[in-house]
Amino acid sequence: MGKIIAIANQKGGVGKTTTTINLAASLAMEGKRVLIVDADPQANATSGYGIDPRSISSSIYECLVDNYPVRGTEVSTCVDNLKLVGSRIDLAGAELELISKPDRERVLYHLLNDIRNDYDFILIDCSPSLGLITVNALTAANSVIIPVQAEYFALEGISKLLNTIRIIKSKLNPSLEIEGFLLTMYDARLRLANQIYEELKTHFGDMVFNTVIPRNIKLSEAPSHGLPAILYDPESRGATSHVMLAKEIISKNK
């Protein structure tokens, strides 16, 4: 049965989508069957694979609001073993449309439960908010990866997210775990970046991934070519760090 991992942080610009795109590709390159669910109305995980959100006939919006099955909504990507359920700007309105649904926090859980045996890993790219769609993602997930930017305000807001996770554990998804805190945009030359890593380790210990994701121009360039970094420039530090992260997650989940 596949493991569902939400990639979440209500702070924007911390590398959630970059992590989703590149971790998914790296897991697939390691021979795992992977699905990305783009649960962000900005649809960056969709366009980051070179897929025009306007070109897909059905998206996660139709699944959530109109009860389309996920199986059949997936589209193939440029990476073998990796499929994607795309997003469109319509998803921004789904929060309001879900409010009147019965069991509204578990809509995504039921959708993904039907296809979880088709995949080894299902990664959900969450929007930078703690709204109903992110609550759906955390209720559907087995675990959550929390990207943390190696900058001064990075640790602000983590307590709010952890509080949301605690509430979801107590009311909706008792088995939700933290897969790990992932330090992103890391520059080893900066004392501040090292301080933040040490602070994370002090607070969260083994829950912090050993792998850190460096600041890397190839990671920034790759989505404009519709490719993950591992296909755009396999030798780049951005690509190799995500391969290390994938291996760390696979060994953790043996």
Side-chain angles (χ1 to χ4, degrees), residues 52-96:
D52 183 346
R54 293 165 301 182
S55 71
I56 50 179
S57 57
S58 55
S59 68
I60 193 62
Y61 171 83
E62 282 80 12
C63 296
L64 288 168
V65 174
D66 299 323
N67 301 318
Y68 278 39
V70 171
R71 192 179 285 116
T73 302
E74 311 112 317
V75 292
S76 297
T77 69
C78 51
V79 179
D80 290 342
N81 295 329
L82 174 58
K83 290 189 174 179
L84 176 136
V85 175
S87 178
R88 286 200 297 259
I89 192 65
D90 322 29
L91 190 61
E95 299 258 337
L96 286 173

Side-chain angles (χ1 to χ4, degrees), residues 91-142:
L91 190 61
E95 299 258 337
L96 286 173
E97 295 179 73
L98 282 173
I99 284 171
S100 57
K101 281 205 169 210
D103 208 15
R104 62 192 180 194
E105 296 90 355
R106 289 193 174 87
V107 177
L108 189 57
Y109 167 81
H110 294 301
L111 287 165
L112 295 183
N113 221 27
D114 290 342
I115 52 108
R116 65 187 304 161
N117 289 333
D118 299 358
Y119 298 97
D120 298 307
F121 290 96
I122 298 173
L123 303 185
I124 308 173
D125 185 27
C126 297
S127 67
S129 78
L130 294 178
L132 189 50
I133 292 172
T134 300
V135 168
N136 260 269
L138 294 172
T139 303
N142 302 111

